[in-house]
Amino acid sequence: MPFALSILDLATVTRGQTARDSFGHSVALAQTAERNGYRRVWYAEHHNMRSIASSATSVLIGHVAGHTERIRLGAGGIMLPNHSPLVIAEQFGTLESLFPGRIDLGLGRAPGSDQKTMYALRRDPSSAENFPRDVLELQGYLTGDSRVPGVQAVPRAETVVPLYILGSSLFGAQLAAHLGLPYAFASHFAPDALHEAVAVYRDGFKPSDQLAEPYVMAGVNVFAADDRAAAIEQKTVAYRARARAMIARGPAAGDFTDEEIDAFLASPNGSQLSGMTKYTAVGTPAEVRAYLDDFAASLDADELITTHHAQGIEDRLRSVELTGQAVLGDHENATLEPASDAARMLAHHRGLPPPVPGQ
């Protein structure tokens, strides 16, 4: 297989569920990914969004790490302008000390919120302008080579916390290339500049202590099911829910029928929203495998970050299982049973069990 397979877990809180339910689902999803050979699971920092429970990203990473054994976990990403680099270094130094060799730190410069929430978070809209400098300051704390005389991040892990630059424009590609860091493009919701950004990254890449050659990661949406009709239905329901959530954040908030949402998404005004999910694999495991193979080949991607959007957690877990089986094939930890396995794991985790012994 020419590319690694990973997951971005949005820690979704669906209607009628609580944040605690979402955290249980994230544990089940990470364990399913671990059992099926995925490389990592990431969580993104979002704020003031009732449908996403990963705002305290480092806390969620630590919780899931305590319930898994091997899979890498991390931020995809921390919106660094919202924070002091020292605080983030302390948080991820703590995580890496607790779970050595398993923690990633992806960094972005977007606020991860709306303008009012941005003010509540950092109060200074110009903070994003300092992103390159803040990345270097953070990197210094994590490596023990602080750029602020007399200040060290405590604790600092004995093992390395690798940095990743996230982006959806040429800026992130240029910065990742200049710093010699892996580059992850958010093509699961911002597809337009994907191929150009990857080309800019590769052309400008400078080797670093962390990375000798360019490493490209790209986001892609996935709906995998045992039959194509079920996968298409899951996609339809999920993208309707997404449209409703985004509309509700604006002046047009209100209740809309499925027919009204479908008509909006098909209209010129809704085309931008529809276009955000341009890169979506949907169908049977074989169909999803073919799509992901073609998508990765078009970029010569080293790794795909899949986002499984099915509204029901059982369907989401099954999508992770089927995709892992189709793309990764047999491996030493693949001991899957049929679809009932996902239901068993979900039932086991509804009560948020104690951590795995020894973790």
Side-chain angles (χ1 to χ4, degrees):
M1 187 204 56
F3 57 88
L5 195 64
S6 298
I7 291 175
L8 173 66
D9 178 6
L10 295 178
T12 304
V13 183
T14 56
R15 182 173 297 181
Q17 295 180 340
T18 66
R20 183 178 177 86
D21 295 328
S22 173
F23 299 146
H25 297 165
S26 288
V27 169
L29 189 148
Q31 290 189 335
T32 301
E34 183 172 71
R35 293 173 58 254
N36 284 275
Y38 287 76
R39 179 166 293 180
R40 69 187 93 242
V41 180
W42 278 358
Y43 308 90
E45 176 188 346
H46 292 283
H47 299 280
N48 197 29
M49 296 183 184
R50 294 182 181 180
S51 62
I52 298 179
S54 55
S55 54
T57 314
S58 60
V59 178
L60 179 57
I61 292 168
H63 174 69
V64 177
H67 292 80
T68 51
E69 297 179 331
R70 301 173 304 279
I71 194 166
R72 299 193 65 88
L73 300 162
I78 291 294
M79 301 298 107
L80 191 55
N82 293 342
H83 309 277
S84 156
L86 176 61
V87 170
I88 297 303
E90 292 169 342
Q91 291 176 3
F92 281 80
T94 299
L95 286 168
E96 181 66 21
S97 297
L98 290 169
F99 308 100
R102 296 183 57 202
I103 302 301
D104 300 330
L105 178 48
L107 301 169
R109 67 171 182 145
S113 60
D114 54 62
Q115 293 296 313
K116 290 182 179 180
T117 309
M118 181 183 69
Y119 172 81
L121 282 166
R122 66 191 190 205
R123 303 181 185 275
D124 183 2
S126 66
S127 297
E129 298 174 8
N130 298 323
F131 181 62
R133 185 184 68 187
D134 286 348
V135 171
L136 291 173
E137 183 181 337
L138 172 60
Q139 188 177 51
Y141 292 135
L142 290 172
T143 59
D145 187 18
S146 176
R147 290 172 171 259
V148 181
V151 178
Q152 300 292 330
V154 180
R156 184 173 73 84
E158 296 180 4
T159 44
V160 174
V161 180
L163 298 183
Y164 301 76
I165 298 297
L166 315 181
S168 58
S169 68
L170 302 188
F171 177 87
Q174 292 166 341
L175 180 62
H178 178 72
L179 298 180
L181 295 176
Y183 181 53
F185 194 92
S187 39
H188 61 293
F189 76 91
D192 292 347
L194 171 61
H195 289 83
E196 183 180 5
V198 168
V200 166
Y201 169 66
R202 285 206 171 96
D203 289 345
F205 183 83
K206 299 178 180 179
S208 68
D209 290 341
Q210 178 175 327
L211 194 63
E213 298 178 348
Y215 191 87
V216 172
M217 308 163 75
V220 58
N221 305 291
V222 175
F223 297 88
D226 292 285
D227 66 81
R228 178 170 176 77
I232 292 173
E233 177 64 15
Q234 290 170 18
K235 173 188 172 184
T236 300
V237 171
Y239 285 172
R240 282 173 181 162
R242 182 174 181 273
R244 284 190 176 93
M246 297 190 74
I247 292 171
R249 295 175 60 193
D255 294 328
F256 297 93
T257 66
D258 290 346
E259 291 75 15
E260 289 172 329
I261 291 293
D262 291 344
F264 171 72
L265 291 174
S267 71
N269 288 334
S271 61
Q272 182 177 4
L273 185 57
S274 297
M276 292 171 68
T277 53
K278 173 182 177 180
Y279 295 118
T280 298
V282 56
T284 64
E287 290 172 318
V288 167
R289 166 67 186 263
Y291 185 97
L292 296 182
D293 282 346
D294 289 345
F295 179 66
S298 74
L299 301 163
D300 193 19
D302 299 286
E303 186 169 343
L304 298 186
I305 307 291
T306 60
T307 303
H308 299 259
H309 290 288
Q311 292 288 281
I313 182 58
E314 292 90 349
D315 292 334
R316 202 150 65 242
L317 294 176
R318 188 57 176 159
S319 182
V320 170
E321 289 177 342
L322 293 173
T323 303
Q325 288 177 328
V327 175
L328 301 173
D330 295 332
H331 57 89
E332 61 182 0
N333 297 312
T335 56
L336 277 179
E337 298 298 330
S340 58
D341 186 68
R344 177 189 62 77
M345 292 191 67
L346 175 61
H348 179 63
H349 289 292
R350 286 197 189 278
L352 298 183
V356 174
Q359 292 295 314

